[in-house]
Amino acid sequence: MIQYFINHFQLRYRIYASYMAAGIVIFAIIMMTYVVFNKVAGHFQDFITFSNQSQIDLLLTAQVADIHRQTLIYTYEGHQSAADQVTSIYGNLIQQIDQNLQHSQPEIKRILTTIKQHLVNYHATFLQVKQQRDLQQKLINVEFRDNATAVERLINQLILQSDPSVATQLELKPILSSLLLVEKNVFRYLDSLDASYIITAKNSLSSVFGSLSAINVQENPVRSIVDQAIYKLHLYEQSFTQGVQRTRGYLYLINVVMAAEAYEIHYQSKKFSTLITEQMRKKEQAIHAGMREALYLLLLFGACLLMILITFTYGIGKSIAMPITQLTETFRELTQGSSNAHIPEYPVSDEISELAHAAAAFRDKNTQTERLLEESMQLTQQLEKNKAELERSNDELEQFVYTVSHDLKSPLVTSMGFIGIIRKLADQGQYEQAIEKLDKVTLSIERMGQLITDLLELSRIGRIDLDKKMIDLNNLLEQLTSSHSEQMRRVGFHWVIKPDLPSIYGNESRIRQLFENILSNAIKYTHNPEQGSKLEIGAISHEDHWLIYCQDNGPGIESAFHQKIFGLFYRLDTKQEGSGVGLAIAKKVMKFHGGDIWVESSSGAGATFWLKFPVPSEEMERVEHDTSSTGFITDRR
Amino acid sequence: MNRRTFLLQSGAIATATISSLSFPSIVKAYNKKPTIRVLGTHVTLQEAIRQQAQKELGINVEFYPGGDAEVLLKASTDPGSFDIYEQWSDSIRILWMANAIQPIDIKKLRYWHEINGLSKAGRLTDQAPVGMGDAPHKILYYQPDGSLGSTASNHISFLPYVHNTDSYGYNAAIVPKGIPYETESWGWLLDERYHGKVAIVNAPTIGIFDLALAAQAQGLMTFKDMGNMSRAEIDALFEIVIAKKRQGHFRGVWTSVPHSVELMASGQVVVASMFSPAVSKLNGMGIPCIYAAPKEGYRAWQGVMCLSRELHGERLEAAYVFMNWWLSGWPGAFIARQGYYISNPQRSKAFMSKSEWDYWYDGKPAAESLKGTDGRISVQEGEVRTGGSYTKRFENVAIWNTVMDTYEYTLMKWNEFVLA
């Protein structure tokens, strides 16, 4: 994450992002708090709603009982105020239910709707009860009484108008009693609601019908009145029969239909109450649980957000601090002069990248300074080396001068001696002897000439014949073998050249001269009658050099002379011809070629001259190859 | 429609009509054909029957179905509002006392001689007991003194036609299945095992007998004459059941067949007095409701057709034609497919397949799937009608639906029970 920030966002945006993240976290916590408390508030609101709805439950329970009580009062007592009360309570209940229906949950709404429907049915049935009762009251209190009065009046009229015979009077007077009994039983029925009174009344009425019909069987002047009485009697019967049916009708409606509706309202109300109680209990639990959950969530959410914020802020901070710390370390190294101080990669272009660029510039300066220092040191070393070389050259020059003076002086002294002798001999006239002595002088002069020639040769090394090229030693030594084969055959010398000698980079004439001097020395000084004199030349690779060894089986050289033999005019065996310059030349040639020469030997064990040549570089070989291919030899001076 | 969807439709539908005591105008006859108005319940006043009657008789028939209380009140107080009244035999005493109906002349009844002994003598076979209460024959004949009795005469108060037996239903998924006529008992209605899950039909002239049979089956009380209880017996009975209700034994009362179906389907009730259409409906819903064959016997009911006191002339003759048609075979077969019986079954047999007859009347397993009157399969192959054959059922009648002398008192006690 940190690297991602570093690689993709500028410093200022990372700082902005950290502030924004903090702001977002704070906002998220506020929102979470709002949501949680809003939820809890919702639960509280629901709880209050349920509490309010429980009031409708209490209202229903109380008022439904009251409405049915008022209904019964109206039914049995006929009080209009009770009927009005029923309608009033009904209206109030419906209004309360309608208000609660608007805000209720589906289950509560369903129950309230059911209650309302039962209430509507109840009230509608009550209106029918009221109507039936009104009809019953009209039938009993008006029609029944009117018809009873009419029948009584007609019977009384019959009594007055009929013959005053005892028989007729006896038949008519009981009719009045029966009619009274009918009326009495009808009202007893209405009071007691015992149907047996109606049966008694019907029986009494039947006897009246029977009596009147019996009277009309006989021819009499009151037939029309009797007919009227029978007609009115039918109406009388019909009025109370209908009154009874209306009574039964409204009794059925109130005791069966309305009672069932009221019970269903009670039942649904109880169900409603149970539901409300249960929901309130659940809501209460939900509030408690919600509070716990809210606190838990807030803590959890807050902790999570805090963790995220810390992580994010840490990442941002780290993404800022890390490159600065790295750059600080870099600058610390740079101030200490480091030219290879690590500069952290910083792909985004911002203030830190400017620092990184500055560090890079600083490092470049340090690199330049270091290089200059190194060059300065190299120059100093070179100067020191040159100085040492100069001193050594001066020493060598002094030695050379001394040696040359000494060795050149010797023939001169010898010549001057012999010239003195010759002069004496000439003075003495001993000319022949003097002339003989001239040969000695000549020899000395020749020797001095040879010395001077050798010195000239020595001085040429490194001054002329400076061109170098790749030299295949196999070819060179093969040529050398050819040119010296006669001499070697003559002295019985064996020249053993190992195969696969290397190629070296050098001046061919000087290298040839080098091997000629070594061969010459070997021929001159190697005397091994037993094994036969021989010189073996081979090569071994050692690190970045070729070591060419030239091993003879001669008498060997004591270690005390291992250095001296490379000195100018130094000769171990003065009996042999030579100027003592060969190995000095060899030494100088090797030096000229960046190599060296030394001897390993002990007395009687032969000697091995080691020639150390640097391995030609690839560039030397490539240049040599190019030169060869173009037919050019490049002078490398 | 079923037999008594009405019961409390007398609360909702009835209220509007009772008040005006007049029916809404429906189909009017605009031709010269006589028109008869039939007032009754949804059990028999079905459109298919009306159409068939018009088609076969060439008269106009108007049906005015309504709830029990509604049609009874209307018929007893306004005889001019109908020509034929179709309801139950327990309404006859009220109608007769209200002088709302006229005697029926037997001579004009073409199939009178085919009507079986159930209606004429109160039982189908000699060994069958006559149920308590107003067995149809007790109020069938018009007596010379103007009363109704069982002594044969030339006139009758009603034409007996559709009838059946009722009992209680129970949800066999919850209540252990009983053995018909052996362990199934009215006493289950008061059994503590079903506390809070019992419902009773909200009809005092019916429900009171369910409660009385239950109380007697439980050994809680006995009756001198259950068909005509005294006030003391009613008090004792209601004391028992009201106490039970206050203890929460009853879910309540049901006021219509759909209501009874809803109560059992919703699980509020597991045992309830019930009508057969409700049982069929519940079975159709996948609820294993069993219509019990109580060992104490059924509560039976007899459908009746009565003539309005004010009916005369051509319409009276048309009414006789319509009554005769009801016993002519097709209507009996039609109603048999709904589980009801006709008083002259043999004439309907010709209008039924053998499988139908075997299942509906003989109590045999259905040889094939049987269709109801709506054309849908109502009986699956192999199914056996609970309670057995027609004869078996009516040999086990405990009581007939009856309006007792204590009717008004019963209503008030019923009110206490319902609201307890």
Side-chain angles (χ1 to χ4, degrees):
Chain A
M1 181 178 74
I2 295 167
Q3 201 55 47
Y4 181 82
F5 285 146
I6 293 171
N7 292 342
H8 292 84
F9 299 101
Q10 290 184 353
L11 175 63
R12 72 188 66 178
Y13 294 130
R14 274 178 268 156
I15 294 170
Y16 295 159
S18 63
Y19 281 112
M20 283 178 69
I24 289 168
V25 167
I26 291 167
F27 182 72
I29 289 174
I30 290 169
M31 284 306 293
M32 181 71 185
T33 309
Y34 172 76
V35 168
V36 165
F37 279 95
N38 196 40
K39 189 179 173 187
V40 172
H43 286 314
F44 271 118
Q45 187 58 46
D46 290 344
F47 193 82
I48 291 165
T49 305
F50 288 138
S51 179
N52 291 336
Q53 284 172 339
S54 67
Q55 291 178 10
I56 184 77
D57 173 45
L58 294 173
L59 186 75
L60 276 170
T61 307
Q63 296 208 355
V64 166
D66 195 29
I67 199 172
H68 201 60
R69 190 171 59 81
Q70 296 294 340
T71 299
L72 292 173
I73 290 171
Y74 171 76
T75 303
Y76 294 114
E77 303 298 332
H79 295 162
Q80 183 57 40
S81 61
D84 294 342
Q85 191 65 18
V86 168
T87 303
S88 171
I89 294 170
Y90 167 75
N92 187 31
L93 280 172
I94 290 293
Q95 188 182 7
Q96 292 285 331
I97 290 171
D98 284 343
Q99 283 176 359
N100 278 274
L101 274 173
Q102 294 171 6
H103 311 290
S104 297
Q105 294 175 351
E107 180 68 13
I108 291 173
K109 193 173 279 188
R110 194 184 63 75
I111 293 175
L112 285 176
T113 304
T114 307
I115 289 174
K116 183 181 177 183
Q117 186 57 50
H118 285 297
L119 200 58
V120 168
N121 291 345
Y122 182 89
H123 187 252
T125 310
F126 172 73
L127 294 178
Q128 300 313 309
V129 167
K130 194 165 178 290
Q131 196 167 29
Q132 292 300 311
R133 197 179 188 288
D134 289 346
L135 281 169
Q136 182 245 29
Q137 289 293 305
K138 185 183 172 189
L139 285 165
I140 299 299
N141 294 332
V142 181
E143 292 184 20
F144 179 67
R145 288 178 189 277
D146 287 352
N147 289 328
T149 305
V151 171
E152 273 183 42
R153 184 173 49 78
L154 287 169
I155 298 300
N156 283 326
Q157 193 177 344
L158 275 175
I159 292 171
L160 290 173
Q161 292 183 7
S162 62
D163 291 338
S165 63
V166 176
T168 306
Q169 291 293 327
L170 286 174
E171 285 177 5
L172 287 172
K173 285 182 179 173
I175 289 176
L176 286 173
S177 301
S178 295
L179 285 173
L180 193 61
L181 199 59
V182 169
E183 192 172 356
K184 191 176 177 181
N185 279 308
V186 167
F187 282 102
R188 278 179 177 169
Y189 166 78
L190 293 173
D191 283 341
S192 66
L193 297 175
D194 185 345
S196 64
Y197 292 114
I198 294 297
I199 294 167
T200 306
K202 291 276 283 185
N203 290 338
S204 299
L205 204 59
S206 295
S207 70
V208 172
F209 272 118
S211 299
L212 287 176
S213 297
I215 292 169
N216 242 11
V217 170
Q218 304 161 12
E219 195 60 36
N220 65 65
V222 294
R223 175 181 285 272
S224 62
I225 297 174
V226 173
D227 286 342
Q228 284 182 48
I230 290 173
Y231 173 71
K232 284 291 181 184
L233 202 59
H234 275 297
L235 292 178
Y236 180 59
E237 182 188 21
Q238 192 176 339
S239 60
F240 89 74
T241 303
Q242 280 201 18
V244 168
Q245 294 311 317
R246 299 290 175 192
T247 304
R248 287 183 162 182
Y250 73 70
L251 284 177
Y252 181 89
L253 290 173
I254 191 167
N255 290 302
V256 180
V257 179
M258 291 177 71
E261 297 292 353
Y263 176 75
E264 280 302 314
I265 292 169
H266 273 301
Y267 179 82
Q268 295 296 337
S269 176
K270 194 185 291 181
K271 195 173 169 183
F272 178 77
S273 176
T274 306
L275 184 67
I276 290 288
T277 305
E278 179 63 19
Q279 291 202 342
M280 284 179 77
R281 190 182 62 75
K282 282 182 182 172
K283 198 54 70 178
E284 188 181 340
Q285 289 176 343
I287 288 171
H288 286 303
M291 291 294 287
R292 283 196 299 274
E293 186 185 6
L295 288 172
Y296 174 75
L297 276 177
L298 273 176
L299 278 173
L300 185 67
F301 189 68
C304 287
L305 285 177
L306 206 59
M307 287 297 293
I308 292 168
L309 182 62
I310 288 170
T311 307
F312 186 74
T313 310
Y314 174 79
I316 293 288
K318 202 71 179 165
S319 73
I320 296 168
M322 193 170 78
I324 289 176
T325 305
Q326 289 173 341
L327 282 171
T328 302
E329 183 60 30
T330 301
F331 275 110
R332 186 174 290 117
E333 290 179 25
L334 289 173
T335 55
Q336 291 171 357
S338 172
S339 61
N340 57 355
H342 172 69
I343 298 174
E345 287 186 10
Y346 198 79
V348 177
S349 175
D350 60 10
E351 292 76 2
I352 294 175
S353 72
E354 292 298 320
L355 279 176
H357 291 153
F362 201 161
R363 186 177 64 180
D364 290 345
K365 288 292 180 189
N366 276 3
T367 305
Q368 282 182 352
T369 303
E370 192 172 273
R371 190 170 67 246
L372 288 172
L373 268 174
E374 190 177 344
E375 286 176 3
S376 171
M377 285 175 69
Q378 284 175 350
L379 287 173
T380 303
Q381 286 173 353
Q382 188 62 39
L383 195 60
E384 290 292 328
K385 191 177 175 182
N386 289 345
K387 181 184 173 186
E389 185 68 21
L390 189 60
E391 287 174 354
R392 190 181 59 77
S393 293
N394 286 338
D395 290 342
E396 283 182 352
L397 187 60
E398 283 181 11
Q399 182 65 32
F400 179 74
V401 170
Y402 171 77
T403 304
V404 169
S405 303
H406 178 271
D407 282 12
L408 286 179
K409 189 179 176 182
S410 179
L412 282 176
V413 170
T414 302
S415 294
M416 286 305 290
F418 279 109
I419 290 172
I421 293 170
I422 291 169
R423 187 176 286 141
K424 282 177 180 177
L425 287 173
D427 290 337
Q428 291 171 355
Q430 296 176 1
Y431 295 109
E432 282 186 10
Q433 289 176 328
I435 290 169
E436 286 177 359
K437 294 299 180 185
L438 280 173
D439 290 338
K440 296 288 184 180
V441 172
T442 301
L443 280 171
S444 293
I445 290 169
E446 283 177 352
R447 175 167 171 73
M448 190 168 67
Q450 183 63 44
L451 286 172
I452 289 168
T453 301
D454 289 342
L455 283 172
L456 280 172
E457 187 65 23
L458 183 66
S459 68
R460 285 195 186 101
I461 297 169
R463 288 193 300 111
I464 56 174
D465 302 329
L466 296 179
D467 55 320
K468 293 180 179 177
K469 65 177 182 179
M470 290 303 296
I471 302 164
D472 187 348
L473 291 180
N474 297 298
N475 294 336
L476 181 78
L477 293 178
E478 190 178 344
Q479 290 171 11
L480 199 62
T481 303
S482 298
S483 60
H484 289 77
S485 59
E486 180 57 29
Q487 183 187 5
M488 287 187 286
R489 186 187 61 75
R490 190 171 60 244
V491 297
F493 189 83
H494 296 284
W495 171 248
V496 180
I497 302 170
K498 291 286 183 181
D500 298 330
L501 293 174
S503 292
I504 59 169
Y505 188 73
N507 184 273
E508 188 176 10
S509 62
R510 292 300 169 197
I511 296 300
R512 180 186 294 275
Q513 185 180 17
L514 169 70
F515 282 101
E516 278 183 343
N517 288 347
I518 289 170
L519 179 62
S520 173
N521 281 346
I523 292 172
K524 278 194 287 188
Y525 299 112
T526 301
H527 300 289
N528 193 332
E530 295 175 0
Q531 297 175 354
S533 302
K534 72 170 183 180
L535 178 66
E536 180 180 309
I537 296 179
I540 55 175
S541 175
H542 178 69
E543 296 179 346
D544 55 348
H545 289 82
W546 283 109
L547 294 176
I548 311 296
Y549 63 87
C550 304
Q551 186 178 30
D552 64 35
N553 58 352
I557 302 169
E558 290 181 3
S559 59
F561 303 105
H562 285 182
Q563 293 293 332
K564 291 179 179 178
I565 58 173
F566 295 103
L568 190 63
F569 304 131
Y570 192 85
R571 297 166 60 194
L572 280 177
D573 185 359
T574 55
K575 294 174 183 173
Q576 294 292 335
E577 290 181 359
S579 59
V581 178
L583 287 177
I585 290 172
K587 182 83 173 180
K588 194 169 183 179
V589 168
M590 289 308 295
K591 187 177 178 185
F592 173 66
H593 282 87
D596 199 3
I597 183 169
W598 68 93
V599 64
E600 290 178 355
S601 177
S602 59
S603 181
T608 302
F609 287 89
W610 289 92
L611 305 176
K612 181 182 176 184
F613 286 100
V615 174
S617 64
E618 290 180 1
E619 185 184 7
M620 291 172 179
E621 290 181 353
R622 182 175 55 76
V623 170
E624 174 60 25
H625 180 265
D626 292 344
T627 308
S628 301
S629 61
T630 55
F632 257 7
I633 297 173
T634 304
D635 187 350
R636 297 183 181 278
R637 287 173 293 180
Chain B
M1 284 297 290
N2 45 60
R3 187 160 81 90
R4 297 175 192 179
T5 23
F6 40 80
L7 281 171
L8 209 226
Q9 287 169 0
S10 54
I13 302 170
T15 44
T17 50
I18 288 171
S19 60
S20 63
L21 296 180
S22 62
F23 288 100
S25 59
I26 56 167
V27 179
K28 297 292 184 186
Y30 291 103
N31 52 33
K32 300 284 186 179
K33 288 192 282 188
T35 299
I36 55 169
R37 298 163 301 163
V38 183
L39 176 64
T41 67
H42 295 89
V43 175
T44 52
L45 300 194
Q46 299 181 42
E47 181 59 16
I49 292 174
R50 191 183 75 83
Q51 294 285 354
Q52 187 71 15
Q54 288 194 149
K55 183 180 164 188
E56 291 189 18
L57 302 177
I59 61 172
N60 291 324
V61 180
E62 294 175 356
F63 279 178
Y64 297 91
D68 249 8
E70 168 198 356
V71 295
L72 181 57
L73 182 61
K74 185 170 186 60
S76 62
T77 56
D78 188 10
S81 65
F82 69 95
D83 297 325
I84 293 176
Y85 181 74
E86 292 188 16
Q87 214 199 16
W88 330 118
S89 59
D90 47 287
S91 62
I92 289 299
R93 284 190 186 278
I94 294 170
L95 292 169
W96 193 257
M97 189 177 78
N99 200 22
I101 55 175
Q102 62 176 285
I104 297 169
D105 188 353
I106 289 175
K107 290 197 296 292
K108 292 185 178 179
L109 298 175
R110 186 184 305 169
Y111 306 108
W112 172 254
H113 60 286
E114 293 179 0
I115 293 174
N116 63 29
L118 184 70
S119 304
K120 291 177 178 175
R123 55 189 178 185
L124 281 174
T125 59
D126 292 340
Q127 65 271 22
V130 176
M132 293 176 286
D134 284 341
H137 72 287
K138 293 179 183 174
I139 49 175
L140 179 60
Y141 292 101
Y142 177 73
Q143 303 298 309
D145 63 351
S147 64
L148 302 177
S150 58
T151 305
S153 70
N154 291 328
H155 290 85
I156 53 176
S157 59
F158 61 89
L159 173 67
Y161 69 137
V162 179
H163 52 278
N164 205 349
T165 54
D166 285 344
S167 67
Y168 65 89
Y170 62 94
N171 187 346
I174 298 165
V175 178
K177 200 172 175 181
I179 302 169
Y181 301 118
E182 292 184 22
T183 60
E184 290 177 342
S185 167
W186 284 102
W188 291 14
L189 291 174
L190 294 177
D191 196 318
E192 270 303 309
R193 288 178 295 175
Y194 313 124
H195 183 89
K197 301 274 188 180
V198 180
I200 301 293
V201 57
N202 188 32
T205 56
I206 301 173
I208 193 171
F209 295 124
D210 291 356
L211 293 172
L213 287 163
Q216 187 165 274
Q218 285 281 350
L220 300 174
M221 70 176 292
T222 56
F223 299 88
K224 184 181 177 184
D225 179 4
M226 191 185 288
N228 195 17
M229 300 177 206
S230 66
R231 285 200 173 201
E233 288 174 323
I234 291 171
D235 286 343
L237 174 63
F238 276 98
E239 190 177 344
I240 293 167
V241 296
I242 286 172
K244 277 275 190 187
K245 191 155 190 292
R246 284 179 179 152
Q247 291 164 10
H249 181 79
F250 296 100
R251 155 61 181 86
V253 293
W254 55 263
T255 54
S256 66
V257 166
H259 190 194
S260 67
V261 170
E262 181 201 336
L263 287 174
M264 189 164 283
S266 64
Q268 297 179 60
V269 158
V270 296
V271 179
S273 48
M274 200 163 274
F275 295 157
S276 60
V279 176
S280 301
K281 178 74 176 174
L282 285 163
N283 288 333
M285 293 165 68
I287 296 165
C289 180
I290 293 178
Y291 206 26
K295 60 185 177 184
E296 297 86 7
Y298 291 104
R299 175 175 45 71
W301 56 270
Q302 173 72 66
V304 296
M305 297 178 83
C306 309
L307 297 173
S308 168
R309 185 192 68 199
E310 296 185 2
L311 189 61
H312 56 83
E314 186 187 45
R315 286 161 66 133
L316 178 61
E317 295 308 314
Y320 272 108
V321 168
F322 182 72
M323 288 196 292
N324 285 327
W325 175 78
W326 249 106
L327 299 181
S328 65
W330 184 91
F334 181 87
I335 213 81
R337 295 186 186 99
Q338 296 179 344
Y340 301 119
Y341 301 110
I342 195 75
S343 53
N344 60 336
Q346 290 303 320
R347 185 157 291 276
S348 295
K349 190 174 181 180
F351 292 85
M352 299 168 75
S353 69
K354 185 176 184 307
S355 301
E356 287 178 326
W357 178 264
D358 287 348
Y359 176 81
W360 293 112
Y361 271 92
D362 280 355
K364 295 176 182 174
E368 57 185 334
S369 297
L370 303 179
K371 289 181 179 177
T373 52
D374 58 359
R376 296 178 182 175
I377 301 290
S378 63
V379 177
Q380 298 296 335
E381 184 181 344
E383 210 173 303
V384 179
R385 189 173 187 180
T386 58
S389 68
Y390 174 56
T391 306
K392 174 78 173 173
R393 281 170 162 245
F394 280 92
E395 281 179 347
N396 286 279
V397 173
I399 196 165
W400 290 86
N401 289 352
T402 302
V403 173
M404 298 185 293
D405 294 339
T406 51
Y407 176 68
E408 288 84 350
Y409 188 67
T410 305
L411 291 180
M412 290 183 287
K413 296 304 288 187
W414 189 260
N415 178 63
E416 289 180 37
F417 169 70
V418 171
L419 289 176

